[in-house]
Amino acid sequence: MKRIYNNKLFYFIGLMVLLDMTFSCSEDFYESKIGDRIFLNQHFNNAIDVQITYLGVTSLLQEILPNYILVDGLLSDQMEVTQSADVALRSIYNRNISSGNPFIGGSGYYKVIISANDALKNIDQVIEKDQDYDTLDNRAYKAALIAYRSWAYFNYVRLYGEAALIPDEMSSLTEISKLPVINRVDMMDTLINHLTPYIHDNESDIVELYVFNSINNKALLGEIYLERGDYEKAVELLKAAIESYGNEARTYKITSSFGMEDYANIFINSFANDNTVMAAVPFSFEDGQKNPLEDYFNYNHYYMIKPTMNIINSFNSQIQQTDGIGDIYRGKGVSFNTVPDTDNDEYYISKYSLDETVLYSADIILYRSADIHLLLAEALNRTGESDLAMTILNNGMSDLSPRPDGYARWSRNVGIRGRVFLKAQTVPDGTADPLLYREDLIIKERALELAFEGKRWFDLMRIARRRNDPSYLANRVAAKYEDQAKANQIWNWLMNEENWYLPIAK
Amino acid sequence: MTKYYQFLICISLCLVLNIFTIGALSQEQEIILRGKVLEPGTELPLKQAIISVIATGNIAETNEAGEFEIVVPDLETEIIVNLPGFDSRRIYLNGKEYLKIYLVSSRYKSLDDEVFLPLGTKSRKNLLNSVSTIDLYDIHKTPVTSLDQSLQGRIAGIYIVRHSGFPGQKSWLDIGGVSSIYCKNDPLLIIDGMIHETNYADYGIIDGFSLNPMDIIDVEDVANISVIKGGQSYWGSNSSNGIIYINSEQKSETSSAISFSAYGGIGLLPAKLDVLNAGQFKDFFRQQLTGAGYSQDDVTQMYPWLDGDVNSEEYYKYSNNTDWQDELFQLSIFQKYHIFLKGGDDIATYNISSGYMKHGGIYENASYSRYNLRINGKINITDRFAVLPNVKLSLADSYLANMGPEESNNPLLAALLKSPLMSPNAKDPVTGQELKEVDDVGVFNVSNPIAIVREGIGSNRNYHFLSSVDAQYRLSDNILISSLIGLDFNNCREALFLPDIGLVNQEFADNSRHDLVYEFRSTQNHSKIVYTHSIKNGNNISAVFGLRYLKNSYKFDEGNDLNTPSDDFRNLGQGAKYQYLRTTIGDNRGLVWMSYYGVIDYSIKDKYYINANLSYDGTSNLTSKTRYNFYPSVNLAWRISSEEPFASMQKLVDFKLRASYGINGNMHSSVYDYSKLFYIGRRWELYGILLRDAIPNPDLEIEKKSTINAGIDISFNNQSTNLHFDYYNSTVGNLVINQELPDEYGFKDYYDNGGVLNINAYEFSFDSRIHKSDFTWSYGFTVSRYESKVKKLDFIDQDKSQIVYDVFGVQYVTKKGESLNMFYGYETNGTYPDDNEAASITGPNGLPMTQGDVRFVDANSDNVIDENDKAIIGNPNPDLYGGLFSTLTFKKFEFSALFTYSLGNDIFNCIRLKAESMDQFYNQLTTINDRWNSSNTGSDMPKAVYGDYRGNTVFSDRWIEDGSYLKLKEFTISYIPPKFSQLYRDLTVFMTASNIFTLTKYTGYDPESFYQNNIYYMGLDFGKIPNARSIIVGIKLAL
């Protein structure tokens, strides 16, 4: 047995022990490639990491927005189902929505929230690591991330009534029951607290950093204030939003640049139209990021959803400045169109199929200046500045002399209706409540200007709540059902405000 | 090549040192052992058998009467009996002074066969755990194209389903049942000491095709195959599904030798399915047009040829009676050549073998050809130090079309669905003469199967290289040190072109081109120290300590292009229209595994055996938190036949009880990535972006399978009858499942160890041999069964109780108390005879049903057919499977047959779904002639509904069929002609018929079909190339 202890064996055992020590104890030994993914320790090292992470968060809205628009249209009075609609869409239209409905899942909103939390937690360290990234950049990116997160929370609570407040970035599974759930009103307070520290003061000297494709924090906060009924603050913030980035006359003002025939170009490559489009979510079919709306809307595809006659009639009854009939620049040919070979009585929504050179790739606009202008008009109407509100709605300030105080840089503003050559709306003499009448005009204008863009259902809920009158909403929505019994049933259902919310999938 | 020589080479390799002892045993007194050596069956004495006593080295030889006498130190020692042509026997005297020794011819299985195991050889009688082997003779007897086929039916416990009848195609393999959802289910394959990965080949672009990684070694180069089914934890996290251990043939004699074999043959046409002929189709088409809303006038106007209007423009195009299956299928030609050279001397030996085979396909342009080269040898540098190089190379070219669920490009489906009114080639509209070009899609909107295979075909060109060098140093008589370093390399180029002409367009693509290149690389090292020691009185001990290292990388690049200017342009980059829809995909993955293990074997007096293993390993797949794991196993065996009263029973040669317990891990899965927080990269407009993809689970652990195995081995009648029975009870702990999280978590997919699976498996094998002077008949069978049951499924979402998974519209459910992945859908109960009953039911598509629609079972009686009515409607796992085999040798003739069977497995017959759906203008099976109509209200076949908007064709038990079968897989007649020349040593001629008949109720082409190597495709038949009958004639010649 002595031979066991000969030198060669020792060498061999020694070699094995050495292998053991050098390899398996070291974590690097087990580093191996895993394709298209990187781990936390490889990430958040420089400004580029911050940018691509931020864009990653914004890209998640691709998952949310198509359904958001479908649900908005079907719940409101703008869309109805066609014969070929599937069971899930039909059940939304018929207000018979189960929580398993594939169009109403809310996970996309939380994905934005968690991803934003993840980025917010980690980007501070980049200041130390990359000298091209300073605290000012960091503040701008944080503002942008918080805006997207707040957008997700705000829209979630408006649709579902309550939301879980996600405290962290979910680097492991937090028990769901430990997450605080808060309602719509409390959520708005929370979001005001989140957003307010990141609102840029236009009056101050510090230059406002532009983060690519960010949601304008001022616009979002203004919208929240408007929803909450704080009109003074809403006016302040919405106006500030329109006057962002140095208050250039062409930036975010409703000017003639997308006027008349050019109006349709807002919806073609919206992502790049950054004078009027404030934030948009691009889709590109070739990258496997298909905008499915074309499938649902276009008669060439599944054609499951069509515009209601209500919205079509509304477009067609507009009066042009030359007294011609019809909203020719926003209506037929832009927002909707007739299905060929159907004797002009079948319509389809064409807003997402305007660019025929690319398929399934229409961008979805999140915020554009017309939206903010009309929200501002709505708020101004409530603060008593009704003339200003009507100016924004109608022909703008370019012809006004002098322009109202604080609106000096609005020299190119042609107004929402002025841009598309429509006759100004006026309040007839003897109207019982001119304030409400003007508000109705503004909301009606929003329906046309922002048709099929995911705004209408929220407008109806906001006004009905403000007026404490569910019939405001119920009347309008019930009107789209041809079957009177069905219309009555829906009307009754909608008279209960609790029924406005979507069920939360458990 | 005989077992005898293998045995000798094993001694020379010194892999097993049982036969070496520490010499100095003193002889105290002389005891004489007497005995007689006989051939079993015939009882003829065997002369010139060599008897040697291990302890002393004494040698004796048997005389003409087969008798011998030899001096032994005591009666507790071991002797070895050798005779060329017979298996050497090693006998422990166990106190006996007189022995009657039967030697078994080396072409039959015997207790003294050397069984090759990863840590060395053991004689079969000394095995402690469940190991099955295939007789070398059986492997080489029949001309199978790949190794997995030679295992099928012959080895108990291993479930093998050939993916298709295409020769270069992979098979589904599992041992004793499916044990994981996300990890690997196939056994670990070890070829000449190298771990040979198999699952990288599963990704491809030819739909339904994955290359067979076993083709690295030609069947004729294989010397032995052992299938190890339990108790071997020294492979740690690599081997929870058992091990297939393969060794190529080594040189076993010093004289040079050449052997040559060749065969040729034909594959016959598969049995056709009955589809409508032209007349029947016309009637059906008319009815469908009515269903689609066309009036009689419309039809006459649109399709004047339908009424036989000879003058109509397309009369000749649509007035044929084509049997598309006849047009598509063709006889295929097989050929194969193999040459084997060996030579060398005491210093160095070499073996070179090379082979070429080409199998034609069952349709035009399909073929499989393969070139194999193998070189191995042994170089004795000193008498203690030897180096064994080993190189294998294979080049395989496969040409075939898609075999997936898309009738637009799967020629078999297209041939069933294409209208018989059309013809393969276009016709001159005026004269009706057949033109050269293939015909187009036509009004029925079905691809022309001839166009698919003639104008566009997929190719897979695979270059495979497996090499290793094993250095062995004998430190002393007891200690062997060895280290093996090797490389496994696979490079594959796959291409597919789908032409415009004759094919239904894919979305946006008139034609399309797809290319895939992948490379797999594995570098490995295996070093070990083996210590063996024979203690006096037949007690042996051996110990192994070893280290294994494995580093794999896999990389693929894929490009897809579309709309080239014409079908003549077939390369990537030539796409024109919609070129922004070109896609490029790539991936790159790696794996590092490091393992230490120790094994101790101890045997006492040929009666009691104990073996203990322990391994400790780490893998890069997991986080450092769960990376390192211990895997123990213990094996015990007790040879009862060495105890009285059994020891004195002459008939009972061996009766052994075995028991083992072991734990193994299953590390092969990308799901483990989810244990870490990661970000994925993506393109978004002009930007590269990073995204969170999941909520990580830092506690995710490796799946562990612990198995209790109990087995019995019985051998009697001089080893002519053998029985083996094994029972396994396995528990898969940490079963990884996908938790669908509530919305609040944002990310839906979350993987955790929420499941526990229990598998009970039984296997039984029997073989027996009757040996009379002129003939020998051997026969046997294997029976295997497994039952798996999910013991635990813990859901984070309390409302969930099952996992439902959808693949191509087929749903599988996994729930507690059932097997993994049961078919999940609606049950049906005939059709509705009238509207009264039907109208109250809302069907699966949300519309009220009508008379003649399928009557789905409304399980909860709410008059709505929806998710809540779904039930388990089938189980893709078999109840019993195995094989039957028989060989009759009469003088120079030999007849052998192999049957395989599988009982009780269900198959989703997608062919029938498409060919009985009656929802389009597709041709259909003749079974639809019996469909519901007002005068045939009792039929189970629903009425034809164009568009099927009420959902008669949704996934239901209508499409689930019993896939049980019994197949005569091979029947071989071989003959050794009288020797007519001294120029050769041996000559055998043979004829083999394969897949001669299949007894089954299954109505598709072949019940043996597997879409892709993933448990979610178990039991799916989308119309793959069937295993067709074939006849092959060949010779084997040894010089």
Side-chain angles (χ1 to χ4, degrees), chain A residues 364-384:
Chain A
I364 295 180
I365 297 170
L366 209 54
Y367 280 103
R368 61 187 175 96
S369 50
D371 183 11
I372 310 303
H373 277 75
L374 287 168
L375 290 176
L376 176 62
E378 185 185 322
L380 287 168
N381 182 42
R382 284 281 170 176
T383 57

Side-chain angles (χ1 to χ4, degrees), chain B residues 125-144:
Chain B
K125 64 173 188 176
N126 293 339
L127 289 175
L128 289 93
N129 53 341
S130 172
V131 176
S132 302
T133 59
I134 297 194
D135 205 308
L136 173 72
Y137 188 80
D138 282 329
I139 302 175
H140 294 177
K141 192 167 54 189
T142 53
V144 292

